[in-house]
Amino acid sequence: MRDKRISMEEAATLVADGCTLALGGVTLYRRPVAFVRALLERYRRVRQPTRLTLLSFTAGIESDWLVGAGMVSQVRTCYFGLESFGLAPMFTYRANRGEIEVVEETEASLAWGLRARLAGVGFMPARAWLGTDLPRLRADVRTVCDPYNGEELIAFPAIRPNVAVVHALQADVDGNALIGSNKGVDEELSLAADVVIVTAEEIVPRLSRADLVAPFVHHVVLAPQGALPTSCHPFYPLDGEALLAYAEQVSDPESFERFMAGWLNL
């Protein structure tokens, strides 16, 4: 066993300028909010990292903070929003003005791209997107011919996250972690990323079972209530009032700065 615990401040320094940062969780559930706050605090001090590619199967409020702060140049996700609380205001603002690049993705393109990375190949063939206009929006997504039956397939390029951050219910000091039954693509992210950081509600000496396993986890950070205002069942529900306040009060960079100064003291 090796003790992989580090501080949240140390974890934030592992995200380099220009890298692809993958955030785990599912929309408003088990999001690595405490880590994003530490990243924002570091950015306010040293103005790095910036020009991030933000990768998330479904992006929520913590992703909107990074976009609002001007740290994101490219977004790769199949959904960006606050579910029933409304649109993600800063993503909407910057995307509508062309200030960030939005890579056209679907559940299929993200899943097959990660699967290609796990297989150690440059692309993964699939039938998804056939017969649609989606390939016209992605010059890097091409077609290939099945050498056995001649069928045309879509070739989704491999996706390689530089850093993946997953919030867990429990982790042990060696890096094993439990993330519950609503996993999203967190297991795949832990296998695909160059560096995997697990933030956890609790850290225990040893887990008897795990969803993410120690050989693929590089660092563990203690983060009680580290997903608020999103939920982390069974520890706590989402903070609906905080989410609604954000959606109602933020609409542009000025209102974003006011809200973050008052809520997060940033």
Side-chain angles (χ1 to χ4, degrees), residues 28 61 64-65 82 84-90 229-230 238-252 254-264:
L28 297 180
I61 189 170
D64 205 52
W65 293 351
L82 306 179
S84 60
F85 298 93
L87 301 174
M90 292 312 300
T230 69
L238 60 80
D239 185 343
E241 291 184 357
L243 291 161
L244 186 60
Y246 181 76
E248 289 182 338
Q249 297 177 32
V250 174
S251 59
D252 55 30
E254 291 73 23
S255 58
F256 173 77
E257 289 298 328
R258 286 195 302 270
F259 189 88
M260 299 301 277
W263 190 23
L264 296 181

Side-chain angles (χ1 to χ4, degrees), residues 106-121:
T106 65
E107 294 94 333
S109 62
L110 291 169
W112 290 111
L114 288 171
R115 187 169 292 185
R117 165 69 173 158
L118 300 187
V121 295

